[in-house]
Amino acid sequence: MDLLNQVITNASNYLWNVVLIVLLCGTGVYYTIRLRFVQVRKFKEGLIQVFGHMISGDKAEGEGEMTPFQSVATAIAAQVGTGNLTGAATALLSGGPGAIFWMWVSAFFGMSTIYAEAVLAQEYKTVENGEVTGGPVYYIRAAFTGKFGRFLAGCFAVFIIVALGFCGNMVQSNSIGSAFVQVFSSRGIPVPPLAIGLVIAAAAAFIFLGGVNRLASVVEKMVPFMAGIYIIGSLILILLHAGQIPQALRMILVGAFSPQAVVGAGAGITVREAIRYGVARGLFSNEAGMGSTPHAHARAKAKNPHQQGLAAMISVFIDTFVILNLTVFSILTTGAIESGMEGTALTQAAFDTSFSGLGDIFVAVCLLFFAFSTILGWHFFGLVNVKYLLGDKVCRLYSLLVVAFVVIGSVLKVNLVWNLSDFFNGLMVIPNALALWALSGQVVKINRKYQNASAAESQKK
């Protein structure tokens, strides 16, 4: 078992530290140039696409089962998980504060990648048994016809089911269980992890078995609530240490190009480490290019693929430039980075500096919402691919298996499971990215078509 774990770890490290950084960043840069910095030019329109229907009360147009806001909420539910609390902390410790600059860079280019994913998800979505569905397996088949296309699509489906549906959800439930056990045990209250796992599993099962409509209804309410709570708490903490914000910014910007000037030569962190950990953790957090969130965007009632692409960009912005940055500045402005803590404990240490006795509870509650919402999103993404491979008959069995894995994950922390999740996460990127490159001309064509139509419509008004 130890040998297998080491092999998987080495393979995963190579994927995330070499192959995927080049592949995903290259894809983001390529699309940014070909789409003429769509993430900058059309950012305001993206905000309107996501939140406009909520403000105006107008019904979303197009064929689908979710509003643009619900689709983005589902995407964010999957993106904003333990990575936003632990991923940022890991990047800070392993790559120094400068790693955060490279997180920003990867997220900026990732916004154009996720635009392309959402456009293709909408363009190649289909109706099966009266239900709108779509995702990478469908546009992979469009990009590569014949046996090769079927093989790539099948590989992607298997990878995402294992990576997110099973292993990934074990990781999320384990994080929730660990955080709450820590909170209760520090107060002398013994709570078995199994009890926490059963509660999480029961809530998840109720939503799973209610179908896509129940999922959409839950996440559109949960995501704004969980994000709002964390944003308010983090802003209060950061404002209490507002005098340290300039120093935190200096550490990030200087550390991006000269880590030794910030962390000291003795830490052994180089520019290469800053880039590697910043880009890898950033990509893992916002999932741009991984092929997960297109499943949600395919279901949206969008007027055209271009509009849903604009909405998708906002999910990356919220995940990285809002939620993840709040964690980063909470840690840096409070000086918690010097505490010697790691992962979620480091974030808890930051909040404990000003909310003594309550900081660990606040972070644990936020982690509960973040990780639980990710469980919901990842189950759904896996479900679409189970249907693609095996049909509707096994969907309930798949959901019950995910519930079982959630329970097991809450009580069993196995390094192999974490490493398998990372490894299969990396593998699913490859067929998705190949399709993004193969269909880039189609994405550009759609972008120009609907931008020109929008411009013509504006001139008439």
Side-chain angles (χ1 to χ4, degrees):
M1 189 66 72
D2 288 341
L3 177 61
L4 176 61
N5 187 43
Q6 189 58 49
V7 170
I8 294 294
T9 300
N10 292 339
S12 180
N13 287 341
Y14 181 76
L15 267 176
W16 279 102
N17 296 335
V18 181
V19 176
L20 299 186
I21 287 180
V22 174
L23 185 59
L24 287 173
C25 287
T27 302
V29 171
Y30 176 74
Y31 268 110
T32 295
I33 294 171
R34 290 212 64 182
L35 297 172
R36 298 182 296 121
F37 288 82
V38 67
Q39 64 268 59
V40 178
R41 294 186 299 107
K42 299 295 180 179
F43 181 76
K44 181 180 177 181
E45 287 184 37
L47 289 173
I48 294 171
Q49 180 64 16
V50 174
F51 301 107
H53 297 296
M54 296 176 61
I55 297 170
S56 67
D58 295 337
K59 292 185 177 180
E61 300 179 38
E63 186 178 52
E65 299 177 353
M66 298 181 181
T67 65
F69 177 77
Q70 286 177 330
S71 67
V72 170
T74 304
I76 294 173
Q79 291 166 313
V80 180
T82 56
N84 291 77
L85 295 177
T86 61
T90 301
L92 281 168
L93 292 175
S94 302
I100 306 308
F101 174 83
W102 299 109
M103 268 191 179
W104 297 344
V105 171
S106 68
F108 175 78
F109 290 117
M111 289 173 73
S112 66
T113 305
I114 211 164
Y115 168 90
E117 289 182 294
V119 164
L120 292 174
Q122 277 282 320
E123 181 70 9
Y124 294 103
K125 68 182 180 182
T126 185
V127 178
E128 295 180 356
N129 299 321
E131 183 180 66
V132 176
T133 189
V137 289
Y138 296 94
Y139 60 70
I140 289 171
R141 291 284 299 273
F144 306 103
T145 57
K147 292 182 179 179
F148 182 63
R150 289 196 297 272
F151 171 75
L152 275 184
C155 286
F156 175 87
V158 171
F159 294 156
I160 194 171
I161 291 167
V162 175
L164 304 187
F166 297 145
C167 292
N169 280 331
M170 287 182 73
V171 168
Q172 297 296 330
S173 65
N174 183 268
S175 298
I176 297 172
S178 298
F180 275 92
V181 166
Q182 169 83 23
V183 168
F184 286 119
S185 63
S186 66
R187 289 162 175 79
I189 306 172
V191 176
L194 179 60
I196 298 170
L198 289 172
V199 172
I200 297 166
F206 172 75
I207 298 169
F208 291 170
L209 300 178
V212 176
N213 290 335
R214 184 177 294 173
L215 169 70
S217 177
V218 170
V219 296
E220 77 171 338
K221 297 176 180 67
M222 179 183 289
V223 168
F225 176 76
M226 72 180 192
I229 292 293
Y230 190 67
I231 288 170
I232 291 170
S234 300
L235 284 177
I236 292 173
L237 179 66
I238 294 167
L239 290 174
L240 288 174
H241 300 85
Q244 296 301 313
I245 294 176
Q247 173 64 7
L249 282 170
R250 188 195 76 82
M251 292 171 71
I252 292 170
L253 297 176
V254 173
F257 304 97
S258 181
Q260 294 87 349
V262 174
V263 298
I269 297 175
T270 64
V271 174
R272 181 178 178 180
E273 262 71 44
I275 295 173
R276 184 179 71 182
Y277 286 105
V279 173
R281 289 297 94 192
L283 292 171
F284 185 80
S285 173
N286 61 54
E287 300 185 24
M290 287 177 62
S292 53
T293 59
H295 299 93
H297 297 302
R299 299 250 176 159
K301 297 175 183 176
K303 188 176 181 180
N304 57 61
H306 167 65
Q307 286 192 345
Q308 190 59 30
L310 298 181
M313 296 190 310
I314 304 305
S315 68
V316 173
F317 179 83
I318 293 172
D319 172 85
T320 303
F321 290 105
V322 179
I323 305 296
L324 194 142
N325 267 348
L326 289 172
T327 301
V328 168
F329 280 91
S330 295
I331 293 171
L332 291 180
T333 57
T334 59
I337 196 170
E338 305 294 338
S339 67
M341 299 293 185
E342 297 180 0
T344 304
L346 176 56
T347 308
Q348 288 177 314
F351 280 85
D352 272 336
T353 59
S354 295
F355 309 133
S356 182
L358 295 175
D360 60 341
I361 297 175
F362 176 79
V363 172
V365 170
C366 288
L367 182 64
L368 168 64
F369 283 109
F370 286 1
F372 183 71
S373 69
T374 298
I375 289 171
L376 299 182
W378 283 0
H379 163 268
F380 169 60
F381 299 160
L383 183 65
V384 173
N385 290 276
V386 167
K387 287 183 179 181
Y388 171 79
L389 288 176
L390 302 171
D392 291 334
K393 293 182 179 179
V394 298
C395 289
R396 185 158 295 228
L397 174 61
Y398 162 76
S399 295
L400 292 174
L401 283 173
V402 173
V403 170
F405 276 108
V406 166
V407 175
I408 295 169
S410 67
V411 298
L412 185 67
K413 185 174 181 179
V414 181
N415 287 334
L416 180 59
V417 175
W418 289 71
N419 292 330
L420 280 171
S421 180
D422 276 350
F423 180 60
F424 280 101
N425 260 310
L427 288 179
M428 64 188 250
V429 171
I430 297 172
N432 183 61
L434 290 174
L436 290 176
W437 280 88
L439 294 171
S440 60
Q442 181 76 350
V443 174
V444 173
K445 182 180 177 181
I446 291 170
N447 174 264
R448 290 174 179 171
K449 174 185 175 181
Y450 290 109
Q451 280 191 157
N452 292 338
S454 178
E457 194 173 307
S458 299
Q459 287 180 351
K460 287 181 181 179
K461 293 179 181 178

